[in-house]
Amino acid sequence: MVYTIERLQKEVLARLGEISVTPTSISASGVPTPAEIVAAKIKSMLPEEGSKLIKGASADELGCGIEMEVTVATSKLMPCGLFAIEIELPEDFLRLVSLKMAGWERSVGRLILPTMPEWECQWSEEPGIAGSPQRPRAYMDGKILRAIGSQENGSTESMYGWRIPAADIDGNFDFPAGLYPDLLGAIASRILSC
């Protein structure tokens, strides 16, 4: 869901028992008001606090995610006889919700990381283990996602996920609706502890 920084600031201030004041230009003295300082703190805390919540959330709490445009970097033949399509993830990529490649019978929502026992499965000669259209697998190493079970010139049908939450130039940011109340609480608690 799309939220605004202004809404986030008002709702955090309300949790803190403060009257929400829309920040205006800096006063004639050039010194920001207390409300402007708190508003700036809230905006700066969003990426860190929001990222923690998204990373720790269950798949159900993430909702559908946002559609992500991806760049296919390479395609390489794997020992299983199918191709791995390597996708360059955006720098601010945080969490995968679902990925479906052309030709796959279903999407995949779980990434296999180098620290997981399944990591070595990608080198298996069995498509059912490494990844196939019926049982696709996605492996992530750094900012490269390797989708196994595709044809040589495979392309993405869809990819949904979450990026590090940060306000754009219009003050809007994407965030899972189910986690928004937790975001308000986390930022309010952090401000109180400062």
Side-chain angles (χ1 to χ4, degrees), residues 33-53:
T33 65
E36 290 169 333
I37 292 169
V38 171
K41 277 187 176 185
I42 292 168
K43 185 175 181 179
S44 71
M45 290 177 185
L46 171 62
E48 182 182 349
E49 295 300 323
S51 293
K52 283 183 205 174
L53 290 168

Side-chain angles (χ1 to χ4, degrees), residues 31-80:
V31 177
T33 65
E36 290 169 333
I37 292 169
V38 171
K41 277 187 176 185
I42 292 168
K43 185 175 181 179
S44 71
M45 290 177 185
L46 171 62
E48 182 182 349
E49 295 300 323
S51 293
K52 283 183 205 174
L53 290 168
I54 292 171
K55 283 180 180 178
S58 69
D60 293 337
E61 293 172 310
L62 293 175
C64 297
I66 56 171
E67 189 167 8
M68 305 185 94
E69 291 188 28
V70 295
T71 304
V72 173
T74 61
S75 171
K76 63 181 181 183
L77 185 62
M78 298 300 284
C80 66

Side-chain angles (χ1 to χ4, degrees), residues 75-152:
S75 171
K76 63 181 181 183
L77 185 62
M78 298 300 284
C80 66
L82 294 171
F83 284 83
I85 306 301
E86 292 189 343
I87 298 168
E88 291 181 28
L89 297 171
E91 281 301 314
D92 60 351
F93 175 82
L94 196 57
R95 182 109 183 249
L96 178 72
V97 173
S98 71
L99 167 68
K100 188 161 191 301
M101 302 295 289
W104 283 7
E105 292 181 14
R106 64 182 187 89
S107 63
V108 64
R110 179 175 173 265
L111 289 175
I112 300 170
L113 305 172
T115 57
M116 300 169 106
E118 302 100 322
W119 179 254
E120 296 302 318
C121 290
Q122 64 186 304
W123 310 116
S124 173
E125 293 182 1
E126 297 295 326
I129 294 172
S132 66
Q134 299 78 25
R135 189 175 180 224
R137 298 241 183 175
Y139 303 84
M140 188 172 96
D141 190 9
K143 290 294 180 183
I144 298 292
L145 186 150
R146 187 174 302 119
I148 298 182
S150 300
Q151 299 303 315
E152 183 174 8

